[in-house]
Each structure stands twice: as structure tokens, then as C-alpha cells.
Amino acid sequence: QPDDRGLIGNVPVLRVTRRGPEAVHFVQEAMEPGTEVVLSLDWERRFDHMQQHSGQHLITAIADQLFGFKTTSWELGRQRSVIELDTPSMTAEQIEALEKSVNEKIRERVPVVVRELAADDPEIETVRSRGLPEDHVGLVRVVDIEGLDSNMCCGTHVSNLSDLQVIKLLGTEKGKKNKTNLVFLAGNRVLKSIEQSHSTEKALTSLLKNGPGEHVEAVKRLQSSVKQLQKNNLNLLRDIAVLIARDFKSKPVPSQLFVLHRKEGDSEFMNIIANEIGTEETLLFLTVGDEKEAGLFLLAGPVEAVENLGPRVAELLEGKGAGKRGRFQGKATKMSRRGEVQALLQEFVSQQSPEA
């Protein structure tokens, strides 16, 4: 169970750990020994942990009682908790029966009692336990859910199952070999989850212009429309790439350097242009994406030139790339420096021309 938080006087407690019989508090600033202080507990955090921990004890006991599923470990998470059960799987019917049974016990207002036993008390042998820590000192703490469970535990718990309010089992996830992870919420976390779901539902109702019962179908239709639009956009980009290349090749005296940026392009768009133009004699610098932020680049041309210039282009664009056979492409984080790359390439081409 996570540790408690709060204040010692006015100083925030950052963390609490156990060292043998002592609780060691890590605080935000040094404190004068002997100072009289008031301790303030973060009750919301404490009560949340109490609800989740007692909820785990209850679920563990009922899962064992109904199906013989033993709990091998559990985790109290920040938003949800997980119980590892010693079973390869759980059916939907078993999850439903378990949830129904634990909530019946909550409605029955079953008491939860904490007892302290001597370490040599023979009753300890009858208590469910994973064993004591090696550095344990003093009495042994036992938490009883009346008529259901008796468990050795050092965590904080509610005094009656009615304080749990409600438990919701969210389903299972694949665990370790032959184990199943059961995910659950208890108490106020259920209310928070419902509030979050309701807020999401309201937002979707506003966006999709239909009721909650139609949300799934509406999203499916949107996904289908987006896929078709993406397909159409890709086909148009391919056609544009071919037209750009043909326009360049139709010029009486093609330039030795071809530079192009298109915001909505992609890697395929750039490679189609490079394929159509041909890179035996022309050096191509193509970019796609946001003009001033991140994007993709392609340098294509004579093999020796690309091998020499590719890493320098990536460096100028503050990006990374790789290349082979006359093509060097990658990701750029500073597309705003395309002008510097163009100047570098123009200088290179000028030095290679016969007139230079």
C-alpha cells in the first residue's frame, strides 16, 4: 500500500518508509528536534487507500470462496488496482458473480476488525499470510472481515464494508504464466470514474450530434470516412508528384538542382518525384511537413554527392537520417533551416559545373 502524506507542522511530508519498527518521514525541509508540532494527515489519500485495500481483501476472500482462486499478489495503483489470481482465466459469468457477491457483502454492513497478536500466538498459524518481513519487530497485526476473512496485514482499512460504498470489477488482463490480473475500483474511485465517463459522454454527444447510444456507430462512420479521405488524398499526392516531375523534365535546360517543399506530402510523395525525375544528373532536395518545425527530408542524386552531402544536410536540419544508392532521407526538427541547406547544395552544384 502506498504511504500516507500530509504535514508535520507546516512542513510537507514527501515520503514515509518503514525501517524495522520505525516510520521514517522524509520532509521538504529540516526541522528542529524537540519542536512541538501538529500532524495533519492527507485524509482523502488515506481514505482512498483504505477503500482500495479493504476492497482487495474482500475480493480476494470471495474469489477464493466462490471459485478457489487464490490471490498471489496485488497492486494499489494511482487510478486502478489489480489483483493477481492463480488461475489461467476468468469467464465473464465468473466476474459478474464475483462483483455481485462482493457488493452484497458491502450492503450487509459486515464489520472489519483489526487485532494485534503476539508473534508466538498459535492463532497466527490459522491466519492467511504471505509471511512476516525479516526485520519485523513487536506485535503482529491481523485484519478480520467478520465471517469472511482473517489476514495478516499492515495496511490501513475501513471499519465496516459499508464504507467501501461499491466495488466495480473492470475485467481481466493477461498476467504472468497461468495467472490472471483482475482490475477493480472501490469506493470514491467508482464515482470519479463515472463522472469522467459522463463528461466524456457529454463531450461526444456535442461533437457527434447524437445520443450516447449512437456514439459507437457514429465513430465507425467517421473512421470509414477518414480512411476513404486518406486514400483519396494519397492518390492525389501521387498524381501531383508525377506532374511535378514531368514539369521539371519538360524544361529545355533542366537545372542541376531541384528543391521542393510541400506541407502535406509524405515519404512516398518525395520518392515518386525522385523516381520520375531520375537522379543520375540532378541533385534533388525535397521536404514535407511544417515549414518551421519538424518534418521529413530526402536528398537524392549522384551517389558520391549524396554520400558526401547527406550527413551535412541532416546536421543543418538538426535531424537524423540514413541513405544508400544515391538517396539519403530522414526526419528533421528544424525545417526553418531549409534555406541554409539549399545554399549548401547550390554551392556544391556550382563547384561541380564545367563553367566553375
Side-chain angles (χ1 to χ4, degrees), residues 1-20:
Q1 176 180 321
D3 53 337
D4 282 329
R5 300 294 163 82
L7 300 172
I8 299 178
N10 295 318
V11 179
V13 175
L14 305 176
R15 186 182 171 211
V16 185
T17 62
R18 185 183 65 82
R19 188 177 297 160

Side-chain angles (χ1 to χ4, degrees), residues 104-356:
E104 284 175 352
K105 295 301 178 184
I106 291 172
R107 290 193 296 273
E108 289 173 10
R109 297 178 55 82
V110 177
V112 180
V113 179
V114 176
R115 295 181 293 145
E116 292 183 335
L117 304 177
D120 58 354
D121 192 317
E123 188 177 347
I124 288 179
E125 299 300 321
T126 66
V127 174
R128 184 166 59 86
S129 170
R130 296 176 65 191
L132 288 168
E134 292 183 2
D135 60 350
H136 175 77
V137 177
L139 298 173
V140 176
R141 195 165 178 272
V142 176
V143 177
D144 295 324
I145 302 178
E146 192 174 278
L148 288 174
D149 187 48
S150 186
N151 184 20
M152 193 183 299
C153 183
C154 62
T156 55
H157 290 269
V158 298
S159 59
N160 191 289
L161 291 186
S162 63
D163 290 331
L164 298 183
Q165 300 166 273
V166 66
I167 285 177
K168 178 60 186 173
L169 304 182
L170 299 180
T172 59
E173 298 174 349
K174 185 174 178 58
K176 297 175 185 175
K177 187 177 181 182
N178 294 324
K179 304 286 178 67
T180 295
N181 292 334
L182 178 64
V183 185
F184 76 93
L185 303 174
N188 289 333
R189 291 194 182 190
V190 179
L191 299 178
K192 289 179 180 178
S193 178
I194 292 172
E195 178 59 34
Q196 184 178 24
S197 296
H198 182 59
S199 296
T200 301
E201 190 176 272
K202 285 171 63 179
L204 286 173
T205 297
S206 176
L207 290 169
L208 299 174
K209 309 300 182 186
N210 58 19
E214 301 171 299
H215 285 174
V216 173
E217 287 303 316
V219 170
K220 285 181 179 178
R221 289 195 297 271
L222 281 173
Q223 288 178 325
S224 178
S225 297
V226 168
K227 286 180 181 178
Q228 187 60 48
L229 287 171
Q230 288 174 331
K231 183 178 179 181
N232 293 342
N233 185 55
L234 183 59
N235 289 334
L236 287 171
L237 279 173
R238 287 170 177 166
D239 292 342
I240 291 171
V242 171
L243 290 171
I244 289 171
R246 288 178 180 175
D247 178 66
F248 174 80
K249 291 171 71 176
S250 68
K251 296 185 187 310
V253 183
S255 170
Q256 289 181 286
L257 176 64
F258 180 73
V259 177
L260 177 75
H261 174 79
R262 194 174 187 92
K263 186 176 183 179
E264 64 275 14
D266 58 11
S267 292
E268 184 179 6
F269 172 78
M270 295 188 293
N271 277 290
I272 289 173
I273 294 176
N275 292 338
E276 288 290 324
I277 290 179
T279 56
E280 293 81 6
E281 297 178 0
T282 305
L283 188 62
L284 289 81
F285 174 53
L286 310 174
T287 54
V288 294
D290 193 295
E291 293 91 338
K292 296 182 180 180
E293 295 182 13
L296 305 175
F297 71 91
L298 169 66
L299 182 70
V303 174
E304 187 176 342
V306 171
E307 287 179 351
N308 175 36
L309 294 167
R312 295 167 66 187
V313 169
E315 183 180 358
L316 280 173
L317 297 175
E318 295 186 21
K320 292 182 179 179
K324 59 182 179 180
R325 295 193 295 273
R327 296 200 183 181
F328 190 99
Q329 55 189 341
K331 294 182 179 180
T333 59
K334 287 289 182 68
M335 295 291 278
S336 58
R337 300 183 67 181
R338 286 179 293 114
E340 296 177 48
V341 174
Q342 186 171 346
L344 170 70
L345 301 180
Q346 190 66 61
E347 182 183 357
F348 176 85
V349 168
S350 299
Q351 291 174 350
Q352 304 301 308
S353 62
E355 294 81 4

